[in-house]
Amino acid sequence: MGSAPEASASARIPAPAADPHGVRPVADAPSTLQLLRSLGSGPRGLTEDEAARRLDRYGPHTLPHARPEPFVRRLLRGLRDPFTAVLLCLGLVSAAVASWGTACVILALVAVSCVLRATGEHRAERSVAALRELVATTATVVRRPGDAREVPVADLVPGDVVRLGPGDLVPADVRLLRAHGLTVHQAALTGESVPVPKRAVDLPPGPDDTTHLCFQGSGVASGSATAVVVATGADTRFAAALKVAGRRRGASAFDRSVHGISWLLVRFMLLTPPLVLMANAALRGRGLETLPFAVAVAVGLTPEMLPVIVTTALARGSARLARGHGVIVRRLPALHDLGAVDVLCVDKTGTLTRDEPVVDAGRSDSEALRWAGISAWWTLQSADLPTPDPLDEALLAATGPEDWEAYDGVGVLPFDPVRRLATAVVRAPGAALGTHTLAVKGAVDEVLERCALDADERKRLAVRASELTGTGLRVLAVATGERAARRRPWTTADERGLCFTGFVAFTDALAPTAAAALSGLAARDITVKVVTGDHPGTAARACRDLGLDPGDTIRTGTDIDTRTDAELAELAAGTTVFASCTPSHKARVVRALRSRSTVGFLGDGVNDVPALHAADVGLCARGAAPVTRESADVVLVDPAGDDLGAIAQAVAAGRHAGATITSYLRITLSSNLGNVIAMLAAGLLLPFLPMLPAQVLVQNLCFDAAQLSLAYDRADPGEVRRPTVLRPRAFLRFIVGFGVLNAAADLATFGILLLSGPGLSSPDVFHAGWFTENLLTQALVMVLLRPSPCGPAVRWSVAALATLGVAVPPSALGPTLGMTALPGLYYGLLGAVLGVYGAVLWAWGRRVRVRPLARP
């Protein structure tokens, strides 16, 4: 067991489009002879000349893949971010009104942001490209007059005859001509965790039956075969999944959150200059001479460093993950999306379990286990098989030499996927002279049929086996039989009248770190859901063994098919395990969950590609199918194979990056909004401009440079405990409240300037006083308006910012910027204002605890 009976294998393998060369339809030709005739081939293959002609016609057998994106195009793609585009426009407008300093700074920030983002993604693409050698590179081909040789996979053409053996990767889509005991691993295509029997048939049973076909991307588990190539390159089932991989993705969590904030700010910035111009024209009679000031006000509201902060935070997090945890982030915003993930969908095989069975000794009959081990050992020895069957490996691991060495192997009848049995003939120690013992193991119904049992006993044993399989176990039946020694070969006719010995139960080997990783994800408020092509019982048992409650009901593909999208969203929210799922089922489940949550999907097979594209962030492991790696946003290449543990680390890095971005927005926008409110009020009340464009530029440069330290700040433990999503409405309430508080501090500063001297009548004194107060309040905001104590980088930046605020006006640079030294009384009164402002800021921040990064 292990595969889903409800979903056929063909339904799980992506079907290709119609073949433009007319080759693909012959795979379903009525008979083998008609197939070979249609391909112009035969049992001995093609001639070298004909193969060369077909190679020219069809081209190399390589999977279509997207060309590497040029670096310049990556740079330009960075401008599609709405906020970066707005900054670019503001820079151009600043240049148009001759504010050259402002224009140069803004355009430089845009360039730095685009370069950082493009460089990080280019580095990730190079790392992923290094994994592409995991695909088969050669194949054994028969070419007329019948010689077998190794040729590059890229040289295969339709009509080639290839040979397959244990351990080989299937190099193309093929139809079997001959097969002996052939089973293949096609988990990468269908999600089935056990090898699938394949056989050669002259007449296929039906269009949905694929037992006579093997597809590129699968691997031979046991047996051997000769097959004819029916599809190569873009016509293979593997390539069909690439078309899904090439589809454009929908908006991710990063797009929805940051873009929502960006467009909110865009509206403010577009409204600000006209309002300033109209207000100054109506109340002060000023004309276009206030345009530079209006642009400066818009720039003052703009968090110019946002693109740089976002890119730096994400790039640093991605670099740390690549160096320390074997995680390659191919798309930088995907790291932010990981921080926002609150639902993680995983496949069972390769993630929660290893792709190998183990004996469940507690549910196996000890005598049956001993005889099954003997059969496995002597079958492997006598049949001279190159590699043991996975079940035999599990049996050998559960038993030991003390169980085998006392017996002498006499003969063997290897496993046959049609007969579904394997038999070893041994000489038991102490047995009567001339007596041999048959040790038979195999499918329950086949073994019971060959045992000397009455109908009631056979039915009772079948029910017991069904109960075991119902709990997610795989079951082998074991029987023995005493036979007289002889010289002639043993045959399947001897497998009759056996004595039933018992059952051996197998379960999937659990990934050694999966249980701890699941606990770590739960501690971070991430709900794990299993979406697999495996049988419901198998999936549920793996979950229980790992401490993940599968719930009362395991949903299957049938449950998905009978629900509308709205009904499925409700069902998915309360379901932990979806089993017997096709690729389309997985994608629907992910889309349904995404309507309420931020969803990550971890997969490794071609059948997972649609779900990877449906998720906010797609993840895959190092050993994933090449097409899956090309489709994923994040590739886990940890040599230890701790995929879930690596995801937990990536989630923590994503949440830290998200918290950094939000801290910047929270600090900058609340401060900037307060400054803009005060600037507008002062512009209407004063007979001169409250702040010169050059002063706005220098102030913003100082503040922006200080805030760059936020990207290098340490992570707060509280930041990584919960999923992080920017919510524009809550964020707007936050910055308006603290922005008004900041404006009140600015207006209080205007009052002390009036009390301490000719502040309101002297533009230089007013400019100097407000410049100093602005930088000091912004320094306070950086320290107090954050959920945790700041690290060394931020402390040094805050100290430098405060020093500049006090030192610049009386310095030689002051007169150049239109500022002068301030009277001593001003500093005393300003200290009192800042003390009150800091106390209110600290108390209000602790009371409100508004977190723009919060659970959705």
Side-chain angles (χ1 to χ4, degrees):
M1 66 172 289
S3 62
E6 293 85 356
S8 68
S10 61
R12 299 194 203 108
I13 305 175
D19 176 20
H21 303 303
V23 173
R24 181 73 216 180
V26 302
D28 299 321
S31 70
T32 302
L33 180 60
Q34 289 174 314
L35 169 69
L36 292 173
R37 286 177 176 173
S38 299
L39 290 169
S41 184
R44 294 186 297 169
L46 305 172
T47 64
E48 291 289 352
D49 291 340
E50 177 61 22
R53 283 193 295 270
R54 295 192 183 192
L55 187 62
D56 290 337
R57 175 185 176 187
Y58 298 116
H61 171 39
T62 56
L63 291 173
H65 61 275
R67 295 179 179 178
E69 189 174 17
F71 190 78
V72 174
R73 184 174 295 177
R74 290 183 188 274
L75 286 175
L76 296 177
R77 184 158 50 86
L79 296 176
R80 293 190 305 185
D81 176 81
F83 208 87
T84 305
V86 169
L87 279 181
L88 179 62
C89 293
L90 281 176
L92 296 176
V93 170
S94 298
V97 298
S99 296
W100 302 111
T102 302
C104 289
V105 170
I106 291 177
L107 294 177
L109 292 175
V110 169
V112 168
S113 171
C114 292
V115 168
L116 285 175
R117 180 169 181 169
T119 302
E121 293 185 353
H122 179 67
R123 188 182 300 114
E125 283 298 322
R126 286 191 303 175
S127 299
V128 173
L131 301 175
R132 291 183 182 134
E133 72 276 4
L134 297 177
V135 185
T137 56
T138 62
T140 303
V141 178
V142 178
R143 294 270 169 86
R144 293 179 190 171
D147 299 330
R149 67 199 69 181
E150 292 288 320
V151 302
V153 167
D155 292 346
L156 290 179
V157 295
D160 263 331
V161 174
V162 297
R163 291 179 179 174
L164 302 174
D168 288 344
L169 291 177
V170 178
D173 286 3
V174 300
R175 179 164 163 177
L176 299 175
L177 301 177
R178 294 182 297 278
H180 178 70
L182 183 67
T183 61
V184 300
H185 286 290
Q186 53 185 39
L189 296 170
T190 66
E192 294 165 296
S193 61
V194 294
V196 178
K198 296 286 184 176
R199 66 181 186 275
V201 295
D202 184 53
L203 296 174
D208 293 332
D209 190 286
T210 61
T211 56
H212 61 297
L213 300 173
C214 295
F215 301 102
Q216 183 179 12
S218 54
V220 177
S222 63
S224 60
T226 301
V228 61
V229 175
V230 296
T232 60
D235 303 319
T236 62
R237 297 286 181 104
F238 220 65
L242 278 172
K243 297 178 182 178
V244 178
R247 295 175 187 169
R248 190 169 182 176
R249 304 180 72 127
S252 67
F254 179 83
D255 299 329
R256 295 192 299 269
S257 59
V258 173
H259 289 194
I261 296 292
S262 297
W263 286 118
L264 181 66
L265 297 175
V266 165
R267 297 186 186 100
F268 274 103
M269 287 184 291
L270 294 178
L271 287 174
T272 300
L275 289 176
V276 172
L277 288 174
M278 289 187 294
N280 277 276
L283 299 178
R284 291 292 178 181
R286 299 167 184 161
L288 290 178
E289 68 271 13
T290 59
L291 181 58
F293 174 69
V295 173
V297 171
V299 171
L301 181 62
T302 306
E304 302 95 337
M305 290 291 288
L306 177 60
V308 176
I309 291 286
V310 168
T311 306
T312 303
L314 295 178
R316 289 192 73 246
S318 299
R320 286 197 302 269
L321 287 173
R323 288 194 306 266
H325 302 286
V327 177
I328 299 174
V329 181
R330 299 182 61 204
R331 183 177 60 87
L332 280 184
L335 184 60
H336 172 276
D337 295 341
L338 271 175
V341 162
D342 57 339
V343 173
L344 177 65
C345 296
V346 301
D347 196 0
K348 178 187 72 68
T349 306
T351 303
L352 302 181
T353 63
R354 293 179 293 178
D355 193 11
E356 59 187 60
V358 292
V359 172
D360 187 337
R363 292 174 177 255
S364 300
D365 300 316
S366 58
E367 187 66 8
L369 177 58
R370 185 175 71 85
W371 277 109
I374 294 169
S375 176
W377 172 255
W378 285 111
T379 298
L380 182 63
Q381 297 298 312
S382 303
D384 195 25
L385 298 177
T387 56
D389 176 88
L391 294 182
D392 284 347
E393 283 189 317
L395 289 169
L396 295 178
T399 56
E402 65 277 6
D403 296 313
W404 323 320
E405 291 178 347
Y407 295 81
D408 294 323
V410 176
V412 65
L413 296 171
F415 178 81
D416 181 343
V418 176
R419 182 170 121 264
R420 299 194 297 163
L421 295 174
T423 298
V425 184
V426 298
R427 184 182 298 109
L433 187 64
T435 301
H436 292 164
T437 303
L438 275 65
V440 182
K441 59 180 174 62
V444 172
D445 52 346
E446 299 290 346
V447 172
L448 292 181
E449 182 183 338
R450 289 163 173 79
C451 290
L453 300 169
D454 60 42
D456 291 340
E457 181 65 9
R458 184 175 286 110
K459 181 177 180 180
R460 184 187 69 79
L461 292 172
V463 170
R464 182 186 165 204
S466 178
E467 291 172 350
L468 289 173
T469 58
T471 62
L473 296 171
R474 228 176 301 170
V475 179
L476 280 184
V478 182
T480 59
E482 301 291 334
R483 299 289 185 269
R486 67 187 186 204
R487 293 183 178 275
R488 60 185 175 83
W490 298 89
T491 68
T492 57
D494 297 305
E495 299 171 329
R496 297 289 175 183
L498 302 174
C499 177
F500 180 76
T501 305
F503 294 121
V504 178
F506 299 84
T507 186
D508 288 327
L510 302 178
T513 59
L518 288 173
S519 299
L521 292 171
R524 288 180 167 87
D525 277 2
I526 296 178
T527 300
V528 175
K529 295 183 182 290
V530 179
V531 187
T532 179
D534 262 346
H535 188 276
T538 306
R541 182 171 187 82
C543 291
R544 291 190 188 97
D545 290 345
L546 290 169
L548 179 65
D549 184 7
D552 297 330
T553 305
I554 308 300
R555 301 295 180 177
T556 65
T558 304
D559 298 311
I560 298 170
D561 289 333
T562 57
R563 259 76 173 183
T564 64
D565 290 344
E567 292 171 341
L568 183 57
E570 185 70 29
L571 179 71
T575 301
T576 300
V577 179
F578 288 91
S580 304
C581 290
T582 66
S584 60
H585 289 148
K586 293 183 179 183
R588 276 202 70 198
V589 169
V590 170
R591 283 193 294 268
L593 290 168
R594 198 176 170 196
S595 65
R596 302 185 178 193
S597 304
T598 302
V599 181
F601 186 90
L602 174 61
D604 59 359
V606 176
N607 61 322
D608 294 322
V609 170
L612 288 172
H613 273 263
D616 286 290
V617 55
L619 307 99
C620 76
R622 176 193 185 115
V627 62
T628 311
R629 292 199 303 269
E630 297 293 336
S631 305
D633 301 306
V634 178
V635 181
L636 311 173
V637 296
D638 182 8
D642 183 12
D643 295 341
L644 289 177
I647 291 175
Q649 295 296 332
V651 166
R655 291 180 182 178
H656 176 44
T660 298
I661 295 167
T662 301
S663 291
Y664 169 77
L665 287 172
R666 180 167 47 200
I667 291 168
T668 301
L669 292 179
S670 60
S671 180
N672 287 2
L673 181 61
N675 287 343
V676 167
I677 293 172
M679 196 179 297
L680 292 174
L684 298 177
L685 298 175
L686 298 176
F688 52 83
L689 292 178
M691 189 173 289
L692 300 178
Q695 294 166 358
V696 174
L697 174 62
V698 172
Q699 176 182 288
N700 286 351
L701 275 176
C702 294
F703 194 27
D704 291 341
Q707 289 180 102
L708 188 59
S709 65
L710 295 174
Y712 298 86
D713 198 14
R714 63 190 178 191
D716 174 48
E719 294 172 350
V720 301
R721 291 197 189 106
R722 295 184 293 176
T724 54
V725 175
L726 278 168
R727 299 186 299 170
R729 291 184 180 275
F731 194 87
L732 180 61
R733 290 194 300 268
F734 184 92
I735 63 173
V736 167
F738 283 96
V740 170
L741 176 62
N742 194 63
D746 289 341
L747 295 175
T749 301
F750 299 163
I752 65 172
L753 284 170
L754 179 63
L755 295 175
S756 62
L760 297 183
S761 60
S762 171
D764 290 350
V765 173
F766 184 89
H767 293 157
W770 198 11
F771 179 87
T772 298
E773 183 266 346
N774 263 333
L775 292 190
L776 292 178
T777 55
Q778 288 170 344
L780 279 175
V781 167
M782 286 185 65
V783 173
L784 298 178
L785 203 57
R786 49 186 297 112
S788 62
C790 53
V794 176
R795 287 199 297 268
W796 280 106
S797 297
V798 167
L801 184 64
T803 301
L804 286 172
V806 174
V808 168
S811 70
L813 186 61
T816 304
L817 297 175
M819 296 184 289
T820 187
L822 292 163
L825 178 60
Y826 169 79
Y827 291 106
L829 295 174
L830 179 61
V833 170
L834 292 178
V836 174
Y837 173 74
V840 174
L841 187 68
W842 179 81
W844 193 3
R846 286 181 62 86
R847 181 177 63 85
V848 177
R849 288 292 183 186
V850 177
R851 296 180 63 92
L853 288 175
R855 295 186 67 176

